[in-house]
Amino acid sequence: MRITTHPDPARFLSEIAEYGINYDPAETEGRGWHHDRVRRLLGDEEPGEPVPGGPFEIACGLVRDYEFAEPHILRGFFHRDAPLVGRDMLLEGRFAILRFPMGVRVDAEVDEVRDRADGTSERSWGWSYRTLEHHLERGRLVYEVVKNLDTGRVEFVMTGVSSRARITNPVIALGFGLFGRWTQKRFYQAAGHRLARLVAEIYAGADRPTPRPIGVEDIVEAPSG
């Protein structure tokens, strides 16, 4: 826990490269585990494959760069030149004046066409991460941009499974018990709102934000705002 932004993201990223995930992926059911799925409409395109320069393509670029995150709740630091899968990220949780550094690792990229229960099909692109040792939570979060190929509807879909990690600091444990789940739900809603706003602005002609370089390496901070 800190009251300022992490002074050396490069060092922290080097440290978490040695961390393993902090839970057993086969044991995510039962008491204390939350299963979430939140959808947010981003826009509409013509039916069929994604339109170049359309909401789907714009959203994919923003999601890849973590520009959808609400900066007052969560910021991310990572190596811009690292491959997406395997990318380590320092997430900085923010609550009032407090800062909580947490490590995650991108474990998979989603890029597929799949059938829906209603008989239509959808194109999905996105990625997921798992929490690492010393994180306040345990679990996996999947971020996807999804286009229904029959209707043209484009959505941002966040799917998560999570639970509280073992927190040894009693003050942090109490605070997380009181506000952790509330902040998590707030993040889902804020991230969907932010991405929808950015997609609309860029589609209307605004410049696309990109993660901000920091330091002398290829480390960037996102979101840029």
Side-chain angles (χ1 to χ4, degrees):
M1 180 176 66
R2 307 179 56 85
I3 59 173
T4 61
T5 295
H6 199 286
D8 192 356
R11 179 176 61 81
F12 192 94
L13 287 169
S14 178
E15 290 177 1
I16 67 175
E18 305 300 322
Y19 291 175
I21 65 174
N22 64 350
Y23 72 104
D24 182 350
E27 298 180 0
T28 57
E29 301 291 339
R31 183 178 179 181
W33 285 95
H34 303 289
H35 293 260
D36 300 308
R37 189 169 180 84
V38 180
R39 310 181 74 98
R40 175 76 187 212
L41 177 64
L42 300 178
D44 292 285
E45 298 182 353
E46 291 295 321
E49 286 296 318
V51 177
F56 181 92
E57 183 178 275
I58 293 170
C60 286
L62 294 168
V63 169
R64 183 182 186 91
D65 287 345
Y66 204 61
E67 283 290 338
F68 61 87
E70 170 50 56
H72 299 299
I73 303 175
L74 202 62
R75 288 181 178 270
F77 300 84
F78 55 91
H79 289 279
R80 176 191 289 278
D81 298 336
L84 177 60
V85 177
R87 181 172 78 185
D88 290 328
M89 299 178 66
L90 160 60
L91 300 185
E92 183 181 81
R94 298 184 165 205
F95 185 82
I97 64 171
L98 303 178
R99 305 289 183 264
F100 300 92
M102 301 171 288
V104 301
R105 179 169 299 133
V106 177
D107 70 311
E109 179 179 3
V110 180
D111 188 3
E112 62 186 10
V113 175
R114 58 202 179 205
D115 295 327
R116 292 168 49 94
D118 62 4
T120 62
S121 60
E122 62 186 18
R123 160 72 68 181
S124 173
W125 184 89
W127 51 274
S128 61
Y129 68 61
R130 296 187 188 272
T131 55
L132 301 178
E133 297 171 67
H134 309 298
H135 198 292
L136 295 178
E137 290 184 312
R138 301 178 295 162
R140 184 174 189 245
L141 191 54
V142 185
Y143 300 114
E144 295 177 89
V145 183
V146 178
K147 177 180 179 180
N148 187 305
L149 300 179
D150 294 270
T151 67
R153 182 184 178 93
V154 180
E155 295 179 296
F156 182 38
V157 182
M158 293 166 278
T159 307
V161 54
S162 63
S163 74
R164 171 179 163 175
R166 182 173 179 270
I167 303 173
T168 57
N169 184 306
V171 176
I172 297 177
L174 176 61
F176 190 84
L178 293 173
F179 300 108
R181 181 61 174 161
W182 174 80
T183 301
Q184 184 181 53
K185 292 181 177 180
R186 180 169 164 251
F187 173 78
Y188 288 148
Q189 297 301 321
H193 177 79
R194 177 180 169 85
L195 184 60
R197 175 178 60 81
L198 289 174
V199 168
E201 291 174 353
I202 296 168
Y203 190 64
D207 293 333
R208 176 187 155 186
T210 56
R212 181 176 67 90
I214 58 174
V216 295
E217 299 185 37
D218 66 332
I219 296 174
V220 293
E221 176 186 6
S224 55

